[in-house]
């Protein structure tokens, strides 16, 4: 997982897209510093974010709102290009040992933090120590704890060694944002004020953070990758998609992710909007689900979970909530990829089967009130979700279907920060409707392994299956892609059978971008529409009045 909510489009390039790539040595001879610039670099781009970040240290925040902003501030050793091929970011090159247990990274020379201090291998080593520290409250530590030794032979060399070949190794170094040792050493990374006033190395630096209103970034003169074309990025916090859309129509924001109604009905019906907005459609690497708290009764009973799965009409949700702009899913992988087991199918909508399983689990309507009960206790629970219209609408349809078979489900919608802090991290919930944004590597140890259930970790539903644990452990150290595929197909099959979650849909991303923004690749390459966001530009005659932007 990389996030719980949909990121702003302007940061799509820098969100970590992780792909299995542990193999032959690679180099990165071309650098962003060599790319041409339009003569009119500058201007301000404004987007809308559905949630305000809790902080800007992504490894601590563990949410897409934080990652979307932080990915414009911090670099990783590696990144993925438009074709999802690994290239260097902070690393100029890297070498993998013959036994595939050691990776040696050579950093680019003369790099600086935005405060002008040198960025060296000491910062990389420091970041590794932070993410693996037992006192660091992060869901990402497990990958980096597999490193048995990390060292810095000199200021431009960082070397890591593993006990055995680790398949997602390079992916992890494409996902870890490097932090400045000179500013964070000796601080508590969980509570540091740096999370609100970060100093980074990427295209942008923090200009201003107005609580409840917006975050503004401006170009970093010391950017390690050269200068981005657009001078300033502003992300406004607007939770409601309808309000975002009104701001887009009023030219107060430049881009947003449309909902299906806006994309399929409103914009096509208005020629003036078609002239002003560019519409894009891409199936991302994420899905929406309903998850059970397996530590709460009755969800510790597989029959109850499976019955609820049968009772939910997933196609109804895809058609009603997404207007058909989504795909059914039966595994935690992007449809059409090699990791998505084609033999798996979603639980069909089957009321008779649902009622049969519930009866088997001891639930019947003994008192004739229309609600199933067992031992005098009604089958009722609360569905929690955040302020996300698609999730709210899905929850309503789920509630209606469950009521038809005698399950009393209520719905509570919460603001994101309180939802995560008060309920997810504490495990104080029955059922949630959420989404996973995933890497392209099939390793999902951090989400499903039984060891990952501490506060702040991602297995917050409490899933525990020893065979799944074994498969996840094996999959991380299997380098043969075909053997990995067999492992993860079995893992997905067991997960579907256990039904700790109900897969609802994989939705299409539907970004709308004002046509004042130029340099967008269309059609988009495999990495998506935002892969070259640093090359986007706004011609001078099309820019806003900068005074009005303040």
């Amino acid at each position: 997982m990389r996030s719980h909510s949909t990121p702003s489009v302007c940061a799509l390039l820098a969100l970590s897209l992780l792909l299995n790539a542990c193999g032959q040595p690679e180099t990165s001879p071309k650098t962003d510093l060599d790319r041409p610039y339009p003569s009119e670099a500058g201007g301000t781009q404004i987007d809308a974010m559905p949630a305000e970040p809790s902080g800007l240290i992504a490894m601590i925040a563990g949410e897409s709102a934080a990652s979307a902003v932080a990915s414009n501030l911090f670099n990783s050793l590696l990144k993925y290009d438009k074709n999802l091929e690994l290239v260097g970011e902070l690393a100029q090159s890297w070498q993998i040992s013959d036994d595939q247990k050691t990776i040696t990274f050579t950093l680019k020379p003369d790099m600086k933090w935005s405060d002008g201090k040198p960025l060296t291998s000491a910062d990389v080593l420091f970041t590794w120590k932070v993410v693996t520290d037992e006192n660091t409250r992060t869901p990402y530590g497990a990958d980096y704890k597999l490193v048995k030794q990390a060292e810095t032979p000199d200021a431009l060399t960082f070397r890591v060694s593993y006990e055995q070949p680790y398949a997602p190794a390079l992916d992890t170094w494409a996902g870890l944002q490097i932090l400045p040792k000179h500013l964070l050493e000796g601080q508590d990374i969980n509570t540091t004020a740096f999370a609100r006033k970060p100093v980074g190395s990427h295209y942008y630096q923090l200009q201003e953070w107005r609580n409840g209103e917006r975050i503004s970034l401006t170009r970093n003169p010391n950017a390690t990758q050269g200068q981005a074309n657009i001078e300033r990025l502003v992300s406004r916090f607007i939770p409601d998609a309808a309000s975002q859309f009104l701001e887009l129509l009023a030219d107060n924001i430049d881009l947003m992710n449309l909902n299906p109604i806006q994309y399929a009905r409103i914009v096509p019906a208005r020629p003036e909007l078609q002239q002003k907005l560019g519409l894009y459609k891409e199936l991302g690497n994420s899905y929406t689900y309903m998850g059970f708290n397996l530590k709460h009764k009755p969800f510790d009973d597989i029959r109850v979970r499976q019955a609820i799965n049968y009772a939910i009409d997933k196609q109804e949700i895809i058609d009603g909530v997404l207007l058909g702009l989504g795909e059914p899913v039966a595994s935690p992988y992007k449809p059409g990829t090699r990791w998505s087991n084609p033999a798996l199918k979603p639980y069909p909508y089957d009321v008779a089967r649902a009622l049969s399983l519930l009866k088997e689990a001891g639930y019947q309507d003994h008192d004739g009130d229309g609600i199933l009960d067992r031992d005098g206790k009604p089958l009722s629970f609360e569905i929690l979700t955040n302020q996300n219209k698609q999730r709210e609408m899905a929850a309503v349809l789920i509630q209606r279907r469950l009521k038809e078979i005698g399950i009393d489900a209520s719905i509570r919608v919460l603001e994101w920060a309180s939802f995560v802090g008060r309920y997810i991290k504490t495990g104080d919930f029955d059922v949630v409707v959420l989404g996973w944004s995933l890497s392209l590597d099939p390793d999902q140890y951090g989400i499903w392994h039984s060891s990952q259930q501490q506060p702040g970790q991602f297995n917050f539903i409490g899933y525990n299956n020893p065979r799944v644990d074994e498969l996840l452990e094996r999959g991380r150290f299997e380098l043969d892609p075909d053997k990995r595929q067999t492992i993860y197909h079995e893992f997905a099959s067991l997960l579907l059978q256990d039904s700790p979650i109900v897969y609802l849909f994989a939705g299409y991303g539907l970004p709308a971008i004002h046509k004042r923004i130029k340099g967008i690749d269309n059609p988009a390459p495999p990495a998506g529409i935002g892969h070259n966001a640093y090359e986007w530009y706004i011609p001078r005659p099309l820019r806003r009045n900068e005074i009005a932007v303040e």
Side-chain angles (χ1 to χ4, degrees):
M1 174 220 180
R2 294 292 176 266
S3 52
H4 286 294
S5 61
T6 305
S8 60
V9 183
C10 79
L12 289 179
L13 162 71
L15 290 179
S16 298
L17 290 172
L18 304 184
L19 183 67
N20 177 35
C22 188
Q24 297 302 313
E26 301 272 355
T27 60
S28 174
K30 293 182 66 177
T31 120
D32 290 336
L33 296 170
D34 300 323
R35 69 177 184 271
Y37 292 91
S39 59
E40 295 185 305
T44 297
Q45 173 183 295
I46 306 176
D47 75 5
M49 297 180 66
E52 182 171 3
S54 58
L56 294 178
I57 303 177
M59 72 167 72
I60 301 300
E63 63 196 26
S64 64
S67 295
V69 178
S71 58
N72 285 308
L73 302 174
F74 299 100
N75 296 105
S76 299
L77 286 174
L78 306 176
K79 67 176 182 179
Y80 286 86
D81 66 11
K82 66 179 182 180
N83 295 315
L84 297 179
E85 297 290 338
L86 270 174
V87 296
E89 191 164 70
L90 294 179
Q92 181 171 270
S93 63
W94 63 96
Q95 184 75 29
I96 301 174
S97 62
D98 290 341
D99 64 5
Q100 298 194 359
K101 295 181 182 180
T102 299
I103 309 172
T104 302
F105 297 95
T106 300
L107 274 60
K108 297 173 182 177
D110 303 320
M111 294 188 297
K112 295 180 180 180
W113 295 100
S114 61
D115 64 1
K117 300 295 184 181
L119 192 166
T120 71
S121 59
D123 297 298
V124 184
L125 180 62
F126 168 77
T127 304
W128 173 76
K129 288 180 178 179
V130 168
V131 78
T132 57
D133 191 313
E134 294 298 333
N135 294 319
T136 299
R137 296 192 290 271
T138 177
Y140 301 113
D143 288 337
Y144 305 97
K145 290 177 182 177
L146 295 174
V147 173
K148 70 173 183 179
Q149 183 179 6
E151 57 185 338
T152 56
D154 57 58
L156 295 181
T157 305
F158 176 67
R159 181 178 297 128
V160 289
S161 298
Y162 297 81
E163 289 284 355
Q164 56 185 306
Y166 178 46
L170 289 178
D171 302 331
T172 65
W173 297 107
L176 183 66
Q177 294 176 349
I178 305 305
L179 301 172
K181 176 182 178 180
H182 70 282
L183 293 175
L184 285 169
E185 189 172 30
Q187 294 196 34
D188 183 348
I189 196 69
N190 304 294
T191 59
T192 176
F194 181 92
R196 298 281 304 189
K197 297 180 179 180
V199 171
S201 57
H202 213 349
Y203 291 117
Y204 293 90
Q205 58 186 340
L206 181 66
Q207 181 183 48
E208 182 183 35
W209 185 341
R210 293 188 183 180
N211 288 336
E213 184 179 340
R214 71 187 187 204
I215 285 180
S216 300
L217 309 181
T218 189
R219 278 192 302 195
N220 172 15
N222 294 320
T224 60
Q225 309 304 300
Q227 294 296 293
N229 290 335
I230 294 175
E231 171 66 31
R232 188 172 174 227
L233 302 181
V234 177
S235 293
R236 295 178 55 196
F237 311 136
I238 307 176
D240 181 60
S243 298
Q244 290 184 17
F245 191 57
L246 290 175
E247 293 293 275
L248 182 69
L249 299 186
D251 283 348
N252 292 329
I253 62 175
D254 295 309
L255 58 164
M256 65 171 286
N257 283 310
L258 299 183
N259 65 37
I261 292 177
Q262 294 162 346
Y263 178 91
R265 295 180 180 173
I266 298 178
V267 174
R270 297 176 59 176
E272 75 278 11
L273 295 183
Q274 296 180 54
Q275 293 177 3
K276 183 168 68 172
L277 301 174
L279 301 186
Y280 306 89
K281 174 185 174 184
E282 51 192 11
L283 184 62
N285 206 44
S286 63
Y287 64 89
T288 297
Y289 68 94
M290 185 175 82
F292 304 105
N293 189 334
L294 305 183
K295 297 179 180 180
H296 286 193
K297 292 185 178 298
F299 309 117
D300 57 343
D301 190 329
I302 189 173
R303 296 168 297 186
V304 173
R305 301 195 302 270
Q306 290 178 335
I308 292 173
N309 213 334
Y310 281 116
I312 296 172
D313 188 340
K314 289 82 172 180
Q315 192 60 48
E316 176 184 52
I317 295 174
I318 292 172
D319 293 340
V321 175
L322 303 181
L323 300 183
L325 293 168
E327 301 289 338
V329 287
S331 79
Y333 297 111
K334 182 177 179 177
T337 64
R338 70 177 298 163
W339 312 115
S340 180
N341 188 341
L344 301 181
K345 306 297 179 186
Y347 281 60
Y349 176 54
D350 189 335
V351 170
R353 180 67 176 141
L355 289 170
S356 175
L357 283 166
L358 289 171
K359 183 176 181 180
E360 188 179 318
Y363 285 95
Q364 296 186 66
D365 184 9
H366 295 93
D367 55 10
D369 66 351
I371 303 299
L372 302 177
D373 58 85
R374 184 181 68 182
D375 300 329
K377 295 182 179 180
L379 183 50
S380 62
F381 53 83
E382 182 178 65
I383 301 173
L384 291 182
T385 193
N386 65 304
Q387 293 173 331
N388 177 302
K389 288 299 181 183
Q390 290 185 5
R391 295 174 188 172
E392 293 177 41
M393 293 167 65
V396 170
L397 292 177
I398 291 168
Q399 179 188 48
R400 187 181 72 183
R401 289 300 182 187
L402 294 182
K403 184 176 182 180
E404 290 175 354
I405 65 167
I407 297 177
D408 179 25
S410 59
I411 299 171
R412 193 191 319 186
V413 179
L414 298 163
E415 181 271 330
W416 178 252
S418 60
F419 176 47
V420 173
R422 170 66 179 84
Y423 297 96
I424 297 300
K425 290 186 177 181
T426 63
D428 185 18
F429 65 89
D430 291 325
V431 174
V432 293
V433 173
L434 279 175
W436 283 118
S437 295
L438 302 165
S439 73
L440 296 181
D441 186 90
D443 176 32
Q444 295 192 19
Y445 181 97
I447 300 176
W448 300 110
H449 195 277
S450 62
S451 67
Q452 303 300 297
Q453 297 184 32
Q454 296 302 311
Q457 293 184 315
F458 287 144
N459 187 0
F460 52 81
I461 65 173
Y463 181 64
N464 186 346
N465 181 321
R467 176 58 179 168
V468 166
D469 282 356
E470 179 187 344
L471 290 167
L472 291 172
E473 291 161 10
R474 283 174 50 201
R476 306 178 95 193
F477 300 105
E478 178 55 68
L479 300 184
D480 185 298
D482 292 333
K483 292 180 179 179
R484 288 193 94 201
Q485 177 176 301
T486 299
I487 289 170
Y488 290 116
H489 280 195
E490 182 184 348
F491 152 66
S493 178
L494 290 172
L495 198 64
L496 185 67
Q497 179 181 335
D498 285 346
S499 199
I501 64 173
V502 176
Y503 299 107
L504 300 178
F505 56 80
Y508 283 95
L510 305 170
I513 305 177
H514 199 291
K515 290 183 179 179
R516 66 164 54 93
I517 297 176
K518 309 297 182 182
I520 300 170
D521 283 353
N522 190 23
I529 199 70
H531 81 94
N532 68 331
Y534 56 87
E535 294 182 321
W536 295 358
Y537 65 99
I538 306 172
R540 194 176 303 277
L542 301 181
R543 295 177 193 169
R544 290 184 173 83
N545 182 336
E546 292 299 306
I547 297 176
V549 174
E550 293 298 328

